[in-house]
Amino acid sequence: MTAGTKTLTLLRHAKSGWDDPALRDYDRGLNAKGKRAAALIGGHLRNAAGVFDHVVASPAVRVVETLEQVESSYGRTLAPHFDRRIYLASAVTLLDIIHEAPAEAVHLLLVGHNPGLEDLAMLLVPDSDEPLRVALEAKYPTATIAEISFAGEWATLAGGSGRLTRFVRPRDLDPTLGPDED
């Protein structure tokens, strides 16, 4: 990794359950498929992503449970900073949160929700016909990670300045976890 290169990993929460109509959206937990997918992604991150310097996440129950499952397979403590602004945030709000990341952090993990995460990834990565960008544009399923690298500082990250280096869906690691993921 060259000096000044930062890596942003975006993780959409895993598949949640809708079986209790009395629950607020914020309070919905993961279903069994979501737990499996999150644990699988955690194992993938352990092998592929290295160590996260800073983790920021929505405090919604499905995000907290996603992180618990990811952490169990990741093998390291993630110690997220929970930020309520991430819950149902727009891409612009998410970018504001990234701008606040500690300058010394090199690898940031942001865990949240769609459509904000997908919109943020689309904003940061220039439009192209590269296979990863095409896959991102097609659909950003639950428990999917998008890894974006860029040169510069968190405080100056801007639209079109990133390069999509990884886009991994749970079904890429285990076909039984797709294609009905959403």
Side-chain angles (χ1 to χ4, degrees):
M1 189 174 288
T2 60
T5 299
K6 304 277 190 181
T7 303
L8 170 65
T9 299
L10 304 176
L11 170 61
R12 184 177 173 200
H13 68 78
K15 193 145 187 78
S16 56
W18 288 94
D19 39 341
D20 185 349
L23 278 182
R24 295 181 311 160
D25 178 70
Y26 185 88
D27 296 324
R28 287 187 297 115
L30 298 185
N31 66 20
K33 191 173 187 177
K35 289 176 183 177
R36 278 186 31 237
L40 192 63
I41 288 293
H44 174 78
L45 289 171
R46 179 187 67 237
N47 296 323
V51 178
F52 298 104
D53 301 302
H54 190 63
V55 180
V56 186
S58 163
V61 171
R62 60 192 177 273
V63 172
V64 172
E65 290 183 1
T66 296
L67 280 167
E68 289 169 355
Q69 294 298 317
V70 166
E71 191 174 73
S72 71
S73 297
Y74 180 59
R76 293 182 181 97
T77 302
L78 292 172
H81 167 74
F82 290 104
D83 189 328
R84 194 166 180 90
R85 294 176 295 169
I86 296 172
Y87 177 67
L88 304 182
S90 69
V92 172
T93 299
L94 293 173
L95 189 55
D96 287 344
I97 292 165
I98 292 165
H99 286 162
E100 297 168 6
E104 64 276 6
V106 175
H107 196 169
L108 171 67
L109 174 63
L110 176 66
V111 190
H113 313 265
N114 258 4
L117 281 184
E118 181 175 354
D119 292 345
L120 176 64
M122 301 277 283
L123 172 71
L124 295 176
V125 178
D127 193 19
S128 78
D129 55 3
E130 290 181 17
L132 292 179
R133 180 61 164 80
V134 170
L136 167 67
E137 193 170 338
K139 191 171 190 183
Y140 197 128
T142 52
T144 292
I145 58 167
E147 184 179 278
I148 300 166
S149 63
F150 68 98
E153 300 301 323
W154 299 115
T156 59
L157 179 59
S161 65
R163 188 171 70 82
L164 188 61
T165 56
R166 185 182 328 266
F167 186 72
V168 180
R169 304 164 296 190
R171 70 173 171 243
D172 297 330
L173 305 173
D174 179 351
T176 67
L177 292 170
D180 65 332
E181 285 278 309
D182 60 14

